[in-house]
Amino acid sequence: MTDTKKIGDVLCTELIEAANHDRNILAVTSDSRGSAALNPFVDAHPDQLVEIGIAEQNSVTVASGLAHSGKRPFVFAPAAFLTMRSIEQVKVDVAYSNSNVKLIGISGGNSYSVLGATHHSLQDLAITRAIPNLEIYMPADEHQAQGLMRYLATSPNPAYVRIGKVALPTLYPNVTQAFTKPGKANILSNYGQDVAIVAMGETLAIANEAAIQLNQLGIHAQVIDLVSLKPLDQATLNQVADQTHLIVTLEEHSLYGGLGSAVAEALAPRGDTKVHIIGFPDEPVIAGTQAEVFNYYGMDATSVTEKIKHWLR
Amino acid sequence: MILDIQALQLKAAQMRLATWQMIYRAKTGHTGSDLSCADIVTALYNDVMQQTPATFTNPNRDRYVQSKGHAVEILYNVLADAGYFPQADLLTYSQFNSPYIGHPTNHINGIEMNTGSLGHGLGLSVGMALAAKLDQRDYRVFTLMGDGEQAEGSVWEAAMAAGNYHLDNLTAIIDHNRLQISGPTESVMNSEPLAEKYAAFGFDVQEIDGNDMNQIVTVLTAENNTNKPRLILADTIKGKGISFAENQASWHHRVPTADEYQQGIDELQTVIGGLSK
C-alpha cells in the first residue's frame, strides 16, 4: 500500500526543524494552532508562537510588522479566510511592502466539504495569482512539502502555500526530485505524448491515477506537476506543448482564474495547443465528502480518463 | 531635547509652507490632513525619535508608521528636511514614474512600510513592537492614525492585540481633528468616546492639544511605566495654519487657487517671521 502523509504534519515537523536553528522563525496563528496541526511546534518552541486570536486580517498585518523587524513569520489560517478576509492585508502589507511573510492556507479547496462555502477556498488561486510579488505553492506529497518548507525557511520572498486536510499518497521518491526551485515544474510520469495532464497539490495524485488508467487503454499521457503556480514554468509548458497538442488541467478550484487559466494564458499565444480545464463550475458547490464532490464534478481519476478519451476522439 | 520649542515651532511652520507649495505645484495632495498633523510629524523626526538618516537601517532605531498615509506630503517634507533624501527629489512629487507618490512607499529612504489603505498602521506597529519584545530590544514604535480611520475594524483588531501583549513600547497617536472627507467625524460615523474605548482596550490614554509643540514633545518623550501601550488623543485643527482652510472638511484634499495660494504663503511667512526673531 502506498504511504500517505498529512501535509500539515509535514509542515509542522519542518517548521520545528527550521526553528531549531533560527529563533526568528515564528508561527502566527488565529486560534488555528490545532487545526493547523501545530501543537508539536507549540510544545517545542512556545516562545516562537504568536497567537492573534480570531482575527485573520490582523494576523497578516502583525506578521508583516514582525517581518519588517527581522522575524520570519509563517501565518497559519484556513485558506478561505486567509485569502479572502485578509486579501487586502496580503496585497498591501505582504506583497506591496515586500514583507518576508509566508502565508500557509490550511484546509484549502473543498477540504472542509460539508462545512459549506464559508469554509471553501475555491477562488484563492485566482485572487492571489493576480497579486504581484507573491509566490504560490500547493505541495503534492510529503517530500515536496519538505523541500518547499526548507526553501521557504530561508527565502526572503512573500509566498502563499495552500494545503489540504486529508493524507496524500507519496508520489516522489525523495525531496530532491520533488522540489528543486520556484518556477521549476516536474514531469511526474511520462507514458507518452498523446495528452499532458497538468496539476499540482491534491489533484496531482488524481492526475497520476488517470494517466495510469489511460495507459491501460493505450492512451499515453504525461503528468506535469507545476510545483509553483507562481512563478510559472513557461519553459516546461512550452516543451510539453511542442510534444502534444492536447493539455488537460485539473485543479481543486473554480474554473475561473486558477491553474487552468494560468496554463491557458501561458500557451494561448502559441495558437497550436488545445487546453481543457477541469475544476469547479461557477455554481454553489454541492454538499458531500471531498471524494463525493470530486466525483460529482467529474474530477476523480475515472471521470478525468473518460473526458480525455472523449477529447481525443 | 535637540531643538527648543520655538525652534520646533518654526520648523513645523516651515514644513507647512513647503507642503503648501508642493501641493500647489503638483495640483494634488491632502492639504487639510497634512496641516493638521504637521506639528506631530515635525516633533517626531526632530526631537522625539531615536532615528536619523544614518541609523535608519539600524535594528535598534525607533520606528514610525504613518497609518494615515494620505498626509504624505508633510511626511515627505519632514524627511527631506531631516536629510533622508535630497530636497530636489520632491520636485518630482506625483510626476510620471516618480517614487514620491500620493501615499508612503518603502521605495523611499526613511519610510518603513507602504500605507494608504486605512487601518493598517496600528497592526504593523504591533508587529514591530512585538518583535522588539521577542528580541529584547528597547526601540519604540510610533504610529499616526486619523480619527475617521477609527471606523476601520482592523484598527480594533490591532488595538486588542496591543493591549493583550502589553506593548508599552508602542505609541499610537490619533490626529483628532474631528473632520473627514464627507464632514464631521461624529456625523459620518461616530467613533467617540475614543479615550474611553482605547482605555477599555488596555491603553494608557493621554489627551493633548496636538498643535501645541510643548504638549506634543512632553507627552511623546515621557517614559511609559504603565505596562500598557500608549494612545495619544491629539486634538488638532484640520488645515491648521491657513486661516480659511482651518476646520473645513472641504480642504481635506483641496488644492488652493492662485489667490488662495498667495494668501496662504503670506500667512505662513508671517508666522515664520514671528518665530524667526
Side-chain angles (χ1 to χ4, degrees), chain B residues 4-277:
Chain B
D4 64 23
I5 294 299
Q6 186 171 331
L8 285 168
Q9 290 169 332
L10 172 61
K11 195 169 274 296
Q14 290 166 335
M15 295 300 100
R16 284 192 166 93
L17 177 64
T19 297
W20 185 251
Q21 291 169 324
M22 186 177 174
I23 290 171
Y24 183 69
R25 190 168 57 234
K27 298 287 180 272
T28 182
H30 285 82
T31 315
S33 310
D34 289 316
L35 296 171
S36 171
C37 61
D39 304 292
I40 293 166
V41 181
T42 300
L44 281 167
Y45 279 93
N46 290 281
D47 192 81
V48 176
M49 284 203 296
Q50 302 292 315
Q51 187 199 110
T52 66
T55 63
F56 179 60
T57 55
N58 185 322
N60 294 315
R61 73 190 179 283
D62 288 347
R63 289 147 169 80
Y64 172 63
V65 180
Q66 189 164 304
S67 194
K68 51 173 291 180
H70 53 282
V72 75
E73 296 85 11
I74 190 70
L75 177 61
Y76 286 157
N77 279 294
V78 168
L79 289 172
D81 177 70
Y84 284 83
F85 48 79
Q87 294 270 4
D89 284 9
L90 292 182
L91 294 172
T92 71
Y93 164 67
S94 285
Q95 303 297 306
F96 175 73
N97 203 27
S98 171
Y100 299 89
I101 57 175
H103 291 98
T105 82
N106 56 9
H107 294 298
I108 293 167
N109 192 40
I111 291 178
E112 303 276 2
M113 297 293 282
N114 300 356
T115 53
S117 174
L118 295 171
H120 290 240
L122 186 58
L124 293 169
S125 301
V126 165
M128 294 178 193
L130 200 52
K133 295 291 184 190
L134 291 168
D135 289 342
Q136 296 174 322
R137 295 184 191 274
D138 59 4
Y139 62 78
R140 298 177 69 193
V141 185
F142 299 87
T143 189
L144 178 68
M145 296 181 282
D147 47 8
E149 182 179 358
Q150 302 305 307
E152 292 280 8
S154 53
V155 169
W156 300 99
E157 289 188 9
M160 195 179 297
N164 178 76
Y165 283 108
H166 300 280
L167 298 176
D168 55 8
N169 52 351
L170 169 64
T171 299
I173 308 160
I174 295 178
D175 183 5
H176 196 214
N177 59 37
R178 298 177 185 273
L179 290 173
Q180 59 191 102
I181 195 165
S182 302
T185 300
E186 282 195 41
S187 65
V188 176
M189 178 48 67
N190 185 12
S191 57
E192 302 294 341
L194 284 169
E196 286 85 343
K197 284 178 181 167
Y198 273 92
F201 275 73
F203 279 71
D204 172 54
V205 178
Q206 307 274 334
E207 296 187 62
I208 63 163
D209 176 342
N211 295 124
D212 180 321
M213 192 59 80
N214 203 1
Q215 290 188 40
I216 294 168
V217 168
T218 301
V219 76
L220 286 176
T221 55
E223 278 198 36
N224 182 356
N225 299 315
T226 63
N227 196 32
K228 294 175 177 180
R230 177 163 286 164
L231 185 281
I232 297 171
L233 194 56
D235 285 327
T236 53
I237 292 173
K238 193 158 188 143
K240 175 73 178 178
I242 305 285
S243 60
F244 50 90
E246 289 189 357
N247 283 319
Q248 301 295 319
S250 61
W251 273 91
H252 178 77
H253 58 174
R254 193 175 143 188
V255 175
T257 64
D259 287 348
E260 288 168 341
Y261 175 67
Q262 194 51 54
Q263 190 185 337
I265 295 282
D266 294 344
E267 289 184 15
L268 290 168
Q269 279 178 339
T270 300
V271 173
I272 289 168
L275 289 164
S276 301
K277 285 172 190 162

Side-chain angles (χ1 to χ4, degrees), chain A:
Chain A
M1 192 187 143
T2 318
D3 282 350
T4 61
K5 202 110 183 185
K6 287 194 172 184
I7 301 304
D9 293 336
V10 179
L11 299 194
C12 180
T13 303
E14 289 297 322
L15 198 67
I16 291 170
E17 177 61 20
N20 287 342
H21 306 291
D22 184 352
R23 56 187 299 275
N24 286 323
I25 295 275
L26 300 175
V28 178
T29 55
S30 46
D31 195 23
S32 50
R33 65 183 85 172
S35 42
L38 281 172
N39 284 324
F41 180 90
V42 181
D43 292 341
H45 297 291
D47 297 338
Q48 287 170 252
L49 175 87
V50 175
E51 177 59 75
I52 296 296
I54 306 171
E56 291 84 7
Q57 297 171 72
N58 199 40
S59 72
V60 175
T61 302
V62 169
S64 302
L66 287 161
H68 183 72
S69 290
K71 297 296 172 186
R72 307 181 72 90
F74 285 67
V75 181
F76 290 79
F81 311 138
L82 191 57
T83 60
M84 299 297 267
R85 191 177 199 115
S86 310
I87 198 61
E88 206 226 26
Q89 284 75 10
V90 172
K91 174 191 133 189
V92 175
D93 301 333
V94 178
Y96 182 39
S97 279
N98 191 30
S99 304
N100 185 1
V101 175
K102 313 304 188 208
L103 304 156
I104 313 294
I106 61 168
S107 303
N110 191 56
S111 296
Y112 279 127
S113 58
V114 293
L115 294 190
T118 52
H119 284 59
H120 298 161
S121 64
L122 297 171
Q123 304 80 20
D124 55 340
L125 303 180
I127 197 160
T128 53
R129 203 162 70 79
I131 296 174
N133 194 32
L134 187 67
E135 296 175 1
I136 303 172
Y137 300 93
M138 288 192 286
D141 82 344
E142 64 170 300
H143 291 130
Q144 195 169 78
Q146 286 172 339
L148 174 62
M149 281 299 279
R150 288 169 197 175
Y151 160 74
L152 294 176
T154 54
S155 154
N157 304 329
Y160 169 58
V161 179
R162 187 230 265 191
I163 66 169
K165 213 169 157 61
V166 297
L168 296 184
T170 301
L171 299 173
Y172 289 96
N174 54 51
V175 173
T176 315
Q177 281 176 264
F179 183 88
T180 46
K181 61 177 185 180
K184 184 70 193 80
N186 295 328
I187 298 174
L188 176 66
S189 52
N190 192 351
Y191 298 98
Q193 297 171 1
D194 295 331
V195 58
I197 312 174
V198 183
M200 60 189 296
E202 294 200 54
T203 57
L204 187 64
I206 299 171
N208 209 39
E209 178 60 28
I212 293 167
Q213 290 184 15
L214 286 165
N215 194 47
Q216 287 163 355
L217 299 170
I219 296 171
H220 307 297
Q222 50 181 323
V223 177
I224 312 301
D225 175 8
L226 285 177
V227 181
S228 61
L229 187 58
K230 264 182 99 176
L232 188 69
D233 187 349
Q234 178 81 48
T236 295
L237 288 174
N238 276 336
Q239 186 189 314
V240 170
D242 286 342
Q243 296 164 351
T244 178
H245 298 300
L246 177 63
I247 293 182
V248 175
T249 66
L250 177 62
E251 64 194 299
E252 189 176 353
H253 186 270
S254 164
L255 291 171
Y256 297 158
L259 183 155
S261 296
V263 171
E265 288 157 14
L267 296 177
R270 294 172 58 103
D272 63 352
T273 311
K274 190 176 276 186
V275 177
H276 280 287
I277 301 173
I278 304 176
F280 281 83
D282 186 32
E283 63 184 45
V285 174
I286 198 164
T289 66
Q290 201 174 5
E292 287 168 342
V293 170
F294 268 52
N295 179 261
Y296 177 81
Y297 290 112
M299 296 167 59
D300 61 308
T302 303
S303 302
V304 171
T305 300
E306 287 303 314
K307 284 176 198 276
I308 289 174
K309 273 168 61 187
H310 172 73
W311 287 325
L312 279 172
R313 247 177 236 150

